[in-house]
Amino acid sequence: AAGVIQSPRHLIKEKRETATLKCYPIPRHDTVYWYQQGPGQDPQFLISFYEKMQSDKGSIPDRFSAQQFSDYHSELNMSSLELGDSALYFCASSLNREGTEAFFGQGTRLTVV
Amino acid sequence: AQKITQTQPGMFVQEKEAVTLDCTYDTSDPSYGLFWYKQPSSGEMIFLIYQGSYDQQNATEGRYSLNFQKARKSANLVISASQLGDSAMYFCAMTVANSKLTFGKGITLSVRP
């Protein structure tokens, strides 16, 4: 069965650079979530989209932006990268229906040097 | 706001034995969902089991069962017949109104041969 696809799997960037992370949700899933997991931390919600519209916003820095495209894939854009942005970034998708689990991608490990 | 509490710092279990991972939650919403995810050292987030707040019976999925005690606001994960491959970080999480997942801090489980 198709899963959530994230690219790239690993990314190394220098401070003040920009990064774009991509997420391809499971077909027919209408909701996409982005989470950030720092080293030794639990995942923190960043932002979500339902049917290509932003549905919720969490602790996402102003330097970050995200969008969902007509083909339902989503991109997380990160600018002016800081050392503290080094983390595992997860995308998850689900159906907007009670009782359905969110399926996670394998994550993108971003290292800022 | 929702809150998930996982206070066990780390758990050890002998192979083939059962283990219980604790989780308590807090929410004022009467409708919510409780999830357990497994995160091995490779980093991916694997869905294990789901319990809805209105479910009358405890959820089970193979060797995983969820001991749901609504009055105590607890949702403990029970893993029976532990295997070496069960060694991982385990996160309890919840959603309210099909929204984002709120995670606990996680519990590290180590299975001894």
Side-chain angles (χ1 to χ4, degrees), chain A residues 9 33 35 37 41-45 56 88 90 96-106 109, chain B residues 31-32 35 37 39 41-45 47 50 53-54 91 97-101 103-106:
Chain A
R9 292 289 310 278
Y33 306 86
Y35 293 88
Q37 186 180 23
Q41 304 293 314
D42 53 298
Q44 295 294 314
F45 170 71
D56 197 2
L88 189 55
F90 284 108
N96 187 29
R97 199 169 65 216
E98 192 168 328
T100 57
E101 66 268 28
F103 291 90
F104 283 75
Q106 291 190 296
R109 191 171 295 279
Chain B
S31 177
Y32 50 88
F35 300 79
Y37 285 86
Q39 187 175 40
S41 58
S42 54
E44 68 259 43
M45 196 70 76
F47 165 76
Y50 164 83
S53 58
Y54 294 118
F91 288 97
N98 305 329
S99 67
K100 61 187 181 293
L101 285 162
F103 287 86
K105 296 299 181 186

mmCIF file of all heavy atoms in Angstrom, chain A residues 9 33 35 37 41-45 56 88 90 96-106 109, chain B residues 31-32 35 37 39 41-45 47 50 53-54 91 97-101 103-106:
data_model
loop_
_atom_site.group_PDB
_atom_site.id
_atom_site.type_symbol
_atom_site.label_atom_id
_atom_site.label_comp_id
_atom_site.label_asym_id
_atom_site.label_seq_id
_atom_site.Cartn_x
_atom_site.Cartn_y
_atom_site.Cartn_z
ATOM 1 N N ARG A 9 15.317 12.709 2.344
ATOM 2 C CA ARG A 9 15.393 12.010 3.629
ATOM 3 C C ARG A 9 16.379 12.699 4.554
ATOM 4 O O ARG A 9 16.195 12.706 5.773
ATOM 5 C CB ARG A 9 15.816 10.558 3.415
ATOM 6 C CG ARG A 9 14.782 9.703 2.702
ATOM 7 C CD ARG A 9 13.573 9.410 3.594
ATOM 8 N NE ARG A 9 13.944 8.915 4.916
ATOM 9 C CZ ARG A 9 14.251 7.654 5.162
ATOM 10 N NH1 ARG A 9 14.249 6.757 4.217
ATOM 11 N NH2 ARG A 9 14.568 7.292 6.408
ATOM 12 N N TYR A 33 -0.347 17.086 7.854
ATOM 13 C CA TYR A 33 0.213 17.722 9.034
ATOM 14 C C TYR A 33 1.733 17.772 8.907
ATOM 15 O O TYR A 33 2.350 16.846 8.369
ATOM 16 C CB TYR A 33 -0.110 16.912 10.296
ATOM 17 C CG TYR A 33 -1.565 16.609 10.530
ATOM 18 C CD1 TYR A 33 -2.163 15.487 9.952
ATOM 19 C CD2 TYR A 33 -2.348 17.416 11.357
ATOM 20 C CE1 TYR A 33 -3.497 15.189 10.182
ATOM 21 C CE2 TYR A 33 -3.678 17.111 11.592
ATOM 22 C CZ TYR A 33 -4.247 16.004 11.006
ATOM 23 O OH TYR A 33 -5.565 15.709 11.226
ATOM 24 N N TYR A 35 5.155 18.139 11.456
ATOM 25 C CA TYR A 35 5.650 18.118 12.825
ATOM 26 C C TYR A 35 7.160 18.282 12.809
ATOM 27 O O TYR A 35 7.845 17.846 11.884
ATOM 28 C CB TYR A 35 5.323 16.783 13.517
ATOM 29 C CG TYR A 35 3.857 16.549 13.754
ATOM 30 C CD1 TYR A 35 3.061 15.950 12.773
ATOM 31 C CD2 TYR A 35 3.253 16.906 14.960
ATOM 32 C CE1 TYR A 35 1.704 15.724 12.991
ATOM 33 C CE2 TYR A 35 1.902 16.682 15.178
ATOM 34 C CZ TYR A 35 1.150 16.093 14.181
ATOM 35 O OH TYR A 35 -0.192 15.878 14.391
ATOM 36 N N GLN A 37 10.504 17.386 15.226
ATOM 37 C CA GLN A 37 10.970 16.638 16.397
ATOM 38 C C GLN A 37 12.446 16.909 16.620
ATOM 39 O O GLN A 37 13.306 16.417 15.873
ATOM 40 C CB GLN A 37 10.724 15.133 16.221
ATOM 41 C CG GLN A 37 11.054 14.334 17.468
ATOM 42 C CD GLN A 37 10.797 12.846 17.289
ATOM 43 O OE1 GLN A 37 10.785 12.330 16.185
ATOM 44 N NE2 GLN A 37 10.585 12.139 18.402
ATOM 45 N N GLN A 41 13.340 14.815 21.743
ATOM 46 C CA GLN A 41 12.075 15.490 22.056
ATOM 47 C C GLN A 41 10.892 14.737 21.448
ATOM 48 O O GLN A 41 11.053 13.847 20.622
ATOM 49 C CB GLN A 41 12.093 16.916 21.512
ATOM 50 C CG GLN A 41 13.242 17.765 21.996
ATOM 51 C CD GLN A 41 13.140 18.050 23.467
ATOM 52 O OE1 GLN A 41 12.074 18.407 23.961
ATOM 53 N NE2 GLN A 41 14.233 17.890 24.193
ATOM 54 N N ASP A 42 9.698 15.136 21.884
ATOM 55 C CA ASP A 42 8.499 14.611 21.243
ATOM 56 C C ASP A 42 8.161 15.500 20.044
ATOM 57 O O ASP A 42 8.566 16.664 19.989
ATOM 58 C CB ASP A 42 7.325 14.589 22.236
ATOM 59 C CG ASP A 42 7.101 15.937 22.890
ATOM 60 O OD1 ASP A 42 8.011 16.413 23.597
ATOM 61 O OD2 ASP A 42 6.018 16.525 22.687
ATOM 62 N N PRO A 43 7.434 14.975 19.086
ATOM 63 C CA PRO A 43 7.071 15.783 17.904
ATOM 64 C C PRO A 43 6.182 16.958 18.290
ATOM 65 O O PRO A 43 5.256 16.820 19.084
ATOM 66 C CB PRO A 43 6.316 14.787 17.020
ATOM 67 C CG PRO A 43 6.755 13.444 17.488
ATOM 68 C CD PRO A 43 6.990 13.583 18.956
ATOM 69 N N GLN A 44 6.487 18.095 17.706
ATOM 70 C CA GLN A 44 5.705 19.304 17.938
ATOM 71 C C GLN A 44 4.988 19.690 16.653
ATOM 72 O O GLN A 44 5.593 19.755 15.585
ATOM 73 C CB GLN A 44 6.617 20.450 18.376
ATOM 74 C CG GLN A 44 7.299 20.226 19.718
ATOM 75 C CD GLN A 44 6.327 20.195 20.874
ATOM 76 O OE1 GLN A 44 5.437 21.042 20.979
ATOM 77 N NE2 GLN A 44 6.465 19.202 21.740
ATOM 78 N N PHE A 45 3.709 19.968 16.775
ATOM 79 C CA PHE A 45 2.898 20.315 15.614
ATOM 80 C C PHE A 45 3.288 21.677 15.063
ATOM 81 O O PHE A 45 3.448 22.645 15.821
ATOM 82 C CB PHE A 45 1.427 20.311 16.024
ATOM 83 C CG PHE A 45 0.486 20.877 15.004
ATOM 84 C CD1 PHE A 45 0.228 20.185 13.832
ATOM 85 C CD2 PHE A 45 -0.127 22.097 15.209
ATOM 86 C CE1 PHE A 45 -0.637 20.705 12.892
ATOM 87 C CE2 PHE A 45 -0.993 22.625 14.267
ATOM 88 C CZ PHE A 45 -1.245 21.929 13.108
ATOM 89 N N ASP A 56 -4.898 24.571 10.615
ATOM 90 C CA ASP A 56 -4.471 24.809 11.992
ATOM 91 C C ASP A 56 -3.006 25.201 11.958
ATOM 92 O O ASP A 56 -2.266 24.850 11.036
ATOM 93 C CB ASP A 56 -4.680 23.552 12.844
ATOM 94 C CG ASP A 56 -4.647 23.832 14.335
ATOM 95 O OD1 ASP A 56 -4.504 25.003 14.737
ATOM 96 O OD2 ASP A 56 -4.770 22.859 15.118
ATOM 97 N N LEU A 88 14.192 16.435 13.101
ATOM 98 C CA LEU A 88 13.512 15.512 12.203
ATOM 99 C C LEU A 88 12.145 16.119 11.894
ATOM 100 O O LEU A 88 11.398 16.453 12.811
ATOM 101 C CB LEU A 88 13.373 14.147 12.892
ATOM 102 C CG LEU A 88 12.878 12.942 12.103
ATOM 103 C CD1 LEU A 88 13.717 12.713 10.871
ATOM 104 C CD2 LEU A 88 12.891 11.714 12.998
ATOM 105 N N PHE A 90 8.552 15.661 10.231
ATOM 106 C CA PHE A 90 7.604 14.655 9.770
ATOM 107 C C PHE A 90 6.440 15.309 9.057
ATOM 108 O O PHE A 90 5.942 16.360 9.461
ATOM 109 C CB PHE A 90 7.027 13.863 10.952
ATOM 110 C CG PHE A 90 7.951 12.854 11.535
ATOM 111 C CD1 PHE A 90 8.522 13.058 12.774
ATOM 112 C CD2 PHE A 90 8.226 11.677 10.854
ATOM 113 C CE1 PHE A 90 9.364 12.120 13.332
ATOM 114 C CE2 PHE A 90 9.073 10.727 11.403
ATOM 115 C CZ PHE A 90 9.644 10.948 12.640
ATOM 116 N N ASN A 96 -10.012 13.215 7.196
ATOM 117 C CA ASN A 96 -10.627 14.060 8.217
ATOM 118 C C ASN A 96 -11.903 13.408 8.713
ATOM 119 O O ASN A 96 -13.011 13.854 8.443
ATOM 120 C CB ASN A 96 -10.915 15.453 7.650
ATOM 121 C CG ASN A 96 -11.386 16.410 8.729
ATOM 122 O OD1 ASN A 96 -11.031 16.270 9.895
ATOM 123 N ND2 ASN A 96 -12.210 17.360 8.361
ATOM 124 N N ARG A 97 -11.695 12.314 9.451
ATOM 125 C CA ARG A 97 -12.838 11.555 9.931
ATOM 126 C C ARG A 97 -12.461 10.977 11.284
ATOM 127 O O ARG A 97 -11.342 10.496 11.464
ATOM 128 C CB ARG A 97 -13.142 10.432 8.941
ATOM 129 C CG ARG A 97 -14.523 9.846 9.047
ATOM 130 C CD ARG A 97 -14.792 8.940 7.868
ATOM 131 N NE ARG A 97 -13.911 7.782 7.865
ATOM 132 C CZ ARG A 97 -13.417 7.242 6.772
ATOM 133 N NH1 ARG A 97 -13.700 7.755 5.604
ATOM 134 N NH2 ARG A 97 -12.627 6.199 6.837
ATOM 135 N N GLU A 98 -13.406 11.031 12.228
ATOM 136 C CA GLU A 98 -13.104 10.576 13.578
ATOM 137 C C GLU A 98 -12.686 9.111 13.581
ATOM 138 O O GLU A 98 -13.255 8.280 12.889
ATOM 139 C CB GLU A 98 -14.338 10.759 14.457
ATOM 140 C CG GLU A 98 -14.042 10.600 15.936
ATOM 141 C CD GLU A 98 -15.205 11.068 16.795
ATOM 142 O OE1 GLU A 98 -15.908 12.008 16.373
ATOM 143 O OE2 GLU A 98 -15.413 10.491 17.866
ATOM 144 N N GLY A 99 -11.678 8.821 14.336
ATOM 145 C CA GLY A 99 -11.234 7.441 14.490
ATOM 146 C C GLY A 99 -10.186 6.995 13.508
ATOM 147 O O GLY A 99 -9.762 5.852 13.538
ATOM 148 N N THR A 100 -9.767 7.895 12.646
ATOM 149 C CA THR A 100 -8.746 7.504 11.675
ATOM 150 C C THR A 100 -7.381 7.992 12.143
ATOM 151 O O THR A 100 -7.238 9.111 12.609
ATOM 152 C CB THR A 100 -9.038 8.076 10.282
ATOM 153 O OG1 THR A 100 -9.144 9.498 10.372
ATOM 154 C CG2 THR A 100 -10.318 7.518 9.730
ATOM 155 N N GLU A 101 -6.398 7.116 11.984
ATOM 156 C CA GLU A 101 -5.066 7.471 12.435
ATOM 157 C C GLU A 101 -4.349 8.291 11.383
ATOM 158 O O GLU A 101 -4.696 8.260 10.203
ATOM 159 C CB GLU A 101 -4.249 6.212 12.747
ATOM 160 C CG GLU A 101 -3.941 5.341 11.554
ATOM 161 C CD GLU A 101 -4.985 4.266 11.341
ATOM 162 O OE1 GLU A 101 -6.160 4.487 11.719
ATOM 163 O OE2 GLU A 101 -4.621 3.220 10.792
ATOM 164 N N ALA A 102 -3.359 9.044 11.834
ATOM 165 C CA ALA A 102 -2.474 9.762 10.934
ATOM 166 C C ALA A 102 -1.300 8.866 10.604
ATOM 167 O O ALA A 102 -0.678 8.287 11.497
ATOM 168 C CB ALA A 102 -1.997 11.064 11.581
ATOM 169 N N PHE A 103 -1.011 8.738 9.331
ATOM 170 C CA PHE A 103 0.129 7.944 8.879
ATOM 171 C C PHE A 103 1.299 8.879 8.617
ATOM 172 O O PHE A 103 1.155 9.875 7.917
ATOM 173 C CB PHE A 103 -0.225 7.162 7.617
ATOM 174 C CG PHE A 103 -1.216 6.068 7.861
ATOM 175 C CD1 PHE A 103 -2.572 6.306 7.768
ATOM 176 C CD2 PHE A 103 -0.791 4.800 8.201
ATOM 177 C CE1 PHE A 103 -3.501 5.301 8.005
ATOM 178 C CE2 PHE A 103 -1.705 3.782 8.434
ATOM 179 C CZ PHE A 103 -3.052 4.041 8.338
ATOM 180 N N PHE A 104 2.422 8.519 9.162
ATOM 181 C CA PHE A 104 3.598 9.377 9.062
ATOM 182 C C PHE A 104 4.520 8.941 7.932
ATOM 183 O O PHE A 104 4.668 7.749 7.654
ATOM 184 C CB PHE A 104 4.382 9.342 10.379
ATOM 185 C CG PHE A 104 3.768 10.179 11.466
ATOM 186 C CD1 PHE A 104 2.630 9.749 12.125
ATOM 187 C CD2 PHE A 104 4.332 11.403 11.823
ATOM 188 C CE1 PHE A 104 2.057 10.517 13.127
ATOM 189 C CE2 PHE A 104 3.759 12.173 12.816
ATOM 190 C CZ PHE A 104 2.621 11.730 13.466
ATOM 191 N N GLY A 105 5.159 9.922 7.326
ATOM 192 C CA GLY A 105 6.261 9.647 6.429
ATOM 193 C C GLY A 105 7.492 9.275 7.233
ATOM 194 O O GLY A 105 7.475 9.297 8.466
ATOM 195 N N GLN A 106 8.560 8.943 6.535
ATOM 196 C CA GLN A 106 9.778 8.526 7.224
ATOM 197 C C GLN A 106 10.577 9.703 7.764
ATOM 198 O O GLN A 106 11.551 9.504 8.482
ATOM 199 C CB GLN A 106 10.626 7.676 6.291
ATOM 200 C CG GLN A 106 9.975 6.323 6.001
ATOM 201 C CD GLN A 106 10.905 5.376 5.290
ATOM 202 O OE1 GLN A 106 11.322 5.639 4.160
ATOM 203 N NE2 GLN A 106 11.262 4.280 5.919
ATOM 204 N N ARG A 109 15.496 14.442 7.895
ATOM 205 C CA ARG A 109 16.421 14.861 8.956
ATOM 206 C C ARG A 109 17.210 16.057 8.447
ATOM 207 O O ARG A 109 18.048 15.917 7.548
ATOM 208 C CB ARG A 109 17.344 13.715 9.349
ATOM 209 C CG ARG A 109 18.141 14.006 10.624
ATOM 210 C CD ARG A 109 18.883 12.784 11.124
ATOM 211 N NE ARG A 109 18.000 11.703 11.553
ATOM 212 C CZ ARG A 109 17.399 11.637 12.730
ATOM 213 N NH1 ARG A 109 17.577 12.600 13.617
ATOM 214 N NH2 ARG A 109 16.633 10.599 13.042
ATOM 215 N N SER B 31 -15.125 14.224 23.358
ATOM 216 C CA SER B 31 -14.831 13.387 22.195
ATOM 217 C C SER B 31 -13.359 13.527 21.831
ATOM 218 O O SER B 31 -12.905 14.625 21.487
ATOM 219 C CB SER B 31 -15.705 13.814 21.013
ATOM 220 O OG SER B 31 -15.385 13.056 19.865
ATOM 221 N N TYR B 32 -12.636 12.434 21.927
ATOM 222 C CA TYR B 32 -11.205 12.484 21.651
ATOM 223 C C TYR B 32 -10.725 11.098 21.214
ATOM 224 O O TYR B 32 -11.436 10.100 21.347
ATOM 225 C CB TYR B 32 -10.399 12.960 22.873
ATOM 226 C CG TYR B 32 -10.727 12.224 24.150
ATOM 227 C CD1 TYR B 32 -10.065 11.043 24.496
ATOM 228 C CD2 TYR B 32 -11.711 12.693 25.019
ATOM 229 C CE1 TYR B 32 -10.379 10.366 25.657
ATOM 230 C CE2 TYR B 32 -12.024 12.018 26.186
ATOM 231 C CZ TYR B 32 -11.366 10.857 26.500
ATOM 232 O OH TYR B 32 -11.680 10.174 27.661
ATOM 233 N N PHE B 35 -3.887 7.507 20.790
ATOM 234 C CA PHE B 35 -3.041 6.741 19.877
ATOM 235 C C PHE B 35 -1.739 6.363 20.577
ATOM 236 O O PHE B 35 -1.256 7.066 21.462
ATOM 237 C CB PHE B 35 -2.667 7.583 18.647
ATOM 238 C CG PHE B 35 -3.838 8.062 17.839
ATOM 239 C CD1 PHE B 35 -4.585 9.164 18.257
ATOM 240 C CD2 PHE B 35 -4.179 7.446 16.653
ATOM 241 C CE1 PHE B 35 -5.660 9.625 17.505
ATOM 242 C CE2 PHE B 35 -5.252 7.904 15.891
ATOM 243 C CZ PHE B 35 -5.985 8.992 16.321
ATOM 244 N N TYR B 37 2.182 5.361 19.182
ATOM 245 C CA TYR B 37 3.108 5.245 18.064
ATOM 246 C C TYR B 37 4.433 4.694 18.572
ATOM 247 O O TYR B 37 4.853 4.968 19.688
ATOM 248 C CB TYR B 37 3.357 6.607 17.403
ATOM 249 C CG TYR B 37 2.212 7.099 16.545
ATOM 250 C CD1 TYR B 37 1.154 7.813 17.100
ATOM 251 C CD2 TYR B 37 2.200 6.863 15.176
ATOM 252 C CE1 TYR B 37 0.107 8.271 16.309
ATOM 253 C CE2 TYR B 37 1.154 7.319 14.371
ATOM 254 C CZ TYR B 37 0.118 8.017 14.949
ATOM 255 O OH TYR B 37 -0.913 8.466 14.158
ATOM 256 N N GLN B 39 8.538 4.501 17.715
ATOM 257 C CA GLN B 39 9.600 5.133 16.950
ATOM 258 C C GLN B 39 10.919 4.400 17.192
ATOM 259 O O GLN B 39 11.574 4.606 18.217
ATOM 260 C CB GLN B 39 9.748 6.618 17.302
ATOM 261 C CG GLN B 39 10.733 7.349 16.388
ATOM 262 C CD GLN B 39 10.794 8.844 16.654
ATOM 263 O OE1 GLN B 39 10.758 9.302 17.791
ATOM 264 N NE2 GLN B 39 10.884 9.624 15.579
ATOM 265 N N SER B 41 14.953 3.311 16.397
ATOM 266 C CA SER B 41 16.123 4.181 16.276
ATOM 267 C C SER B 41 16.286 4.747 14.870
ATOM 268 O O SER B 41 16.941 5.779 14.680
ATOM 269 C CB SER B 41 17.382 3.431 16.692
ATOM 270 O OG SER B 41 17.543 2.267 15.905
ATOM 271 N N SER B 42 15.691 4.099 13.887
ATOM 272 C CA SER B 42 15.767 4.600 12.510
ATOM 273 C C SER B 42 14.950 5.874 12.325
ATOM 274 O O SER B 42 15.136 6.591 11.338
ATOM 275 C CB SER B 42 15.286 3.524 11.538
ATOM 276 O OG SER B 42 14.004 3.070 11.913
ATOM 277 N N GLY B 43 14.040 6.154 13.247
ATOM 278 C CA GLY B 43 13.345 7.443 13.239
ATOM 279 C C GLY B 43 11.922 7.459 12.742
ATOM 280 O O GLY B 43 11.196 8.414 13.040
ATOM 281 N N GLU B 44 11.490 6.444 12.014
ATOM 282 C CA GLU B 44 10.125 6.532 11.503
ATOM 283 C C GLU B 44 9.106 6.400 12.625
ATOM 284 O O GLU B 44 9.406 5.872 13.684
ATOM 285 C CB GLU B 44 9.851 5.472 10.428
ATOM 286 C CG GLU B 44 9.819 4.048 10.936
ATOM 287 C CD GLU B 44 11.103 3.307 10.648
ATOM 288 O OE1 GLU B 44 12.174 3.898 10.840
ATOM 289 O OE2 GLU B 44 11.012 2.130 10.266
ATOM 290 N N MET B 45 7.925 6.916 12.397
ATOM 291 C CA MET B 45 6.854 6.914 13.387
ATOM 292 C C MET B 45 5.806 5.912 12.921
ATOM 293 O O MET B 45 5.162 6.101 11.894
ATOM 294 C CB MET B 45 6.260 8.324 13.494
ATOM 295 C CG MET B 45 5.418 8.563 14.717
ATOM 296 S SD MET B 45 6.362 8.631 16.245
ATOM 297 C CE MET B 45 7.080 10.241 16.108
ATOM 298 N N PHE B 47 2.367 3.757 13.525
ATOM 299 C CA PHE B 47 1.103 3.676 14.252
ATOM 300 C C PHE B 47 0.913 2.260 14.818
ATOM 301 O O PHE B 47 1.130 1.265 14.106
ATOM 302 C CB PHE B 47 -0.055 4.023 13.323
ATOM 303 C CG PHE B 47 -1.403 3.627 13.850
ATOM 304 C CD1 PHE B 47 -1.999 4.380 14.846
ATOM 305 C CD2 PHE B 47 -2.053 2.501 13.377
ATOM 306 C CE1 PHE B 47 -3.233 4.020 15.356
ATOM 307 C CE2 PHE B 47 -3.281 2.129 13.874
ATOM 308 C CZ PHE B 47 -3.884 2.889 14.865
ATOM 309 N N TYR B 50 -5.298 2.477 18.280
ATOM 310 C CA TYR B 50 -6.168 3.640 18.476
ATOM 311 C C TYR B 50 -7.321 3.271 19.406
ATOM 312 O O TYR B 50 -7.856 2.154 19.350
ATOM 313 C CB TYR B 50 -6.732 4.107 17.134
ATOM 314 C CG TYR B 50 -7.922 5.028 17.259
ATOM 315 C CD1 TYR B 50 -7.730 6.392 17.491
ATOM 316 C CD2 TYR B 50 -9.232 4.549 17.175
ATOM 317 C CE1 TYR B 50 -8.815 7.243 17.626
ATOM 318 C CE2 TYR B 50 -10.310 5.400 17.309
ATOM 319 C CZ TYR B 50 -10.097 6.740 17.524
ATOM 320 O OH TYR B 50 -11.174 7.581 17.662
ATOM 321 N N SER B 53 -12.765 7.801 22.462
ATOM 322 C CA SER B 53 -13.273 8.072 23.812
ATOM 323 C C SER B 53 -14.621 7.417 24.073
ATOM 324 O O SER B 53 -14.985 7.177 25.229
ATOM 325 C CB SER B 53 -13.382 9.584 24.046
ATOM 326 O OG SER B 53 -14.228 10.189 23.068
ATOM 327 N N TYR B 54 -15.373 7.108 23.029
ATOM 328 C CA TYR B 54 -16.679 6.499 23.213
ATOM 329 C C TYR B 54 -16.662 4.987 23.005
ATOM 330 O O TYR B 54 -17.703 4.333 23.102
ATOM 331 C CB TYR B 54 -17.696 7.131 22.252
ATOM 332 C CG TYR B 54 -17.966 8.588 22.552
ATOM 333 C CD1 TYR B 54 -17.679 9.578 21.613
ATOM 334 C CD2 TYR B 54 -18.490 8.983 23.775
ATOM 335 C CE1 TYR B 54 -17.926 10.916 21.895
ATOM 336 C CE2 TYR B 54 -18.741 10.317 24.061
ATOM 337 C CZ TYR B 54 -18.454 11.275 23.113
ATOM 338 O OH TYR B 54 -18.698 12.602 23.395
ATOM 339 N N PHE B 91 5.406 6.573 21.909
ATOM 340 C CA PHE B 91 4.718 7.827 22.178
ATOM 341 C C PHE B 91 3.216 7.584 22.293
ATOM 342 O O PHE B 91 2.615 6.928 21.433
ATOM 343 C CB PHE B 91 4.955 8.844 21.056
ATOM 344 C CG PHE B 91 6.337 9.417 21.027
ATOM 345 C CD1 PHE B 91 7.299 8.898 20.182
ATOM 346 C CD2 PHE B 91 6.679 10.484 21.855
ATOM 347 C CE1 PHE B 91 8.589 9.426 20.143
ATOM 348 C CE2 PHE B 91 7.959 11.021 21.830
ATOM 349 C CZ PHE B 91 8.909 10.492 20.983
ATOM 350 N N ALA B 97 -11.426 16.381 18.101
ATOM 351 C CA ALA B 97 -12.120 16.872 16.904
ATOM 352 C C ALA B 97 -11.277 16.680 15.641
ATOM 353 O O ALA B 97 -11.183 17.588 14.813
ATOM 354 C CB ALA B 97 -12.497 18.343 17.075
ATOM 355 N N ASN B 98 -10.677 15.513 15.516
ATOM 356 C CA ASN B 98 -9.891 15.175 14.316
ATOM 357 C C ASN B 98 -8.789 16.170 14.029
ATOM 358 O O ASN B 98 -8.397 16.364 12.876
ATOM 359 C CB ASN B 98 -10.804 15.101 13.083
ATOM 360 C CG ASN B 98 -11.934 14.133 13.301
ATOM 361 O OD1 ASN B 98 -11.781 13.162 14.010
ATOM 362 N ND2 ASN B 98 -13.063 14.419 12.701
ATOM 363 N N SER B 99 -8.273 16.812 15.045
ATOM 364 C CA SER B 99 -7.250 17.820 14.815
ATOM 365 C C SER B 99 -5.865 17.204 14.969
ATOM 366 O O SER B 99 -5.699 15.994 14.931
ATOM 367 C CB SER B 99 -7.441 18.983 15.784
ATOM 368 O OG SER B 99 -7.186 18.542 17.100
ATOM 369 N N LYS B 100 -4.894 18.051 15.154
ATOM 370 C CA LYS B 100 -3.509 17.620 15.260
ATOM 371 C C LYS B 100 -3.304 16.674 16.442
ATOM 372 O O LYS B 100 -4.075 16.649 17.383
ATOM 373 C CB LYS B 100 -2.628 18.845 15.480
ATOM 374 C CG LYS B 100 -2.977 19.589 16.771
ATOM 375 C CD LYS B 100 -2.230 20.866 16.903
ATOM 376 C CE LYS B 100 -2.563 21.587 18.187
ATOM 377 N NZ LYS B 100 -3.948 22.074 18.207
ATOM 378 N N LEU B 101 -2.240 15.909 16.347
ATOM 379 C CA LEU B 101 -1.842 15.038 17.445
ATOM 380 C C LEU B 101 -1.043 15.828 18.468
ATOM 381 O O LEU B 101 -0.150 16.601 18.117
ATOM 382 C CB LEU B 101 -0.974 13.898 16.916
ATOM 383 C CG LEU B 101 -1.687 12.778 16.159
ATOM 384 C CD1 LEU B 101 -0.685 11.989 15.342
ATOM 385 C CD2 LEU B 101 -2.406 11.876 17.137
ATOM 386 N N PHE B 103 1.463 14.972 21.506
ATOM 387 C CA PHE B 103 2.261 13.839 21.949
ATOM 388 C C PHE B 103 2.703 13.994 23.396
ATOM 389 O O PHE B 103 2.898 15.098 23.897
ATOM 390 C CB PHE B 103 3.520 13.703 21.081
ATOM 391 C CG PHE B 103 3.262 13.195 19.692
ATOM 392 C CD1 PHE B 103 2.912 14.067 18.676
ATOM 393 C CD2 PHE B 103 3.386 11.848 19.401
ATOM 394 C CE1 PHE B 103 2.683 13.606 17.395
ATOM 395 C CE2 PHE B 103 3.159 11.375 18.121
ATOM 396 C CZ PHE B 103 2.799 12.252 17.118
ATOM 397 N N GLY B 104 2.932 12.851 24.038
ATOM 398 C CA GLY B 104 3.643 12.838 25.301
ATOM 399 C C GLY B 104 5.137 12.856 25.038
ATOM 400 O O GLY B 104 5.586 12.885 23.890
ATOM 401 N N LYS B 105 5.919 12.839 26.117
ATOM 402 C CA LYS B 105 7.370 12.909 25.994
ATOM 403 C C LYS B 105 7.997 11.594 25.526
ATOM 404 O O LYS B 105 9.155 11.560 25.138
ATOM 405 C CB LYS B 105 7.998 13.316 27.328
ATOM 406 C CG LYS B 105 7.614 14.719 27.777
ATOM 407 C CD LYS B 105 8.064 15.777 26.804
ATOM 408 C CE LYS B 105 7.707 17.176 27.274
ATOM 409 N NZ LYS B 105 8.035 18.199 26.251
ATOM 410 N N GLY B 106 7.228 10.537 25.589
ATOM 411 C CA GLY B 106 7.718 9.252 25.118
ATOM 412 C C GLY B 106 8.361 8.416 26.212
ATOM 413 O O GLY B 106 8.786 8.926 27.259
#
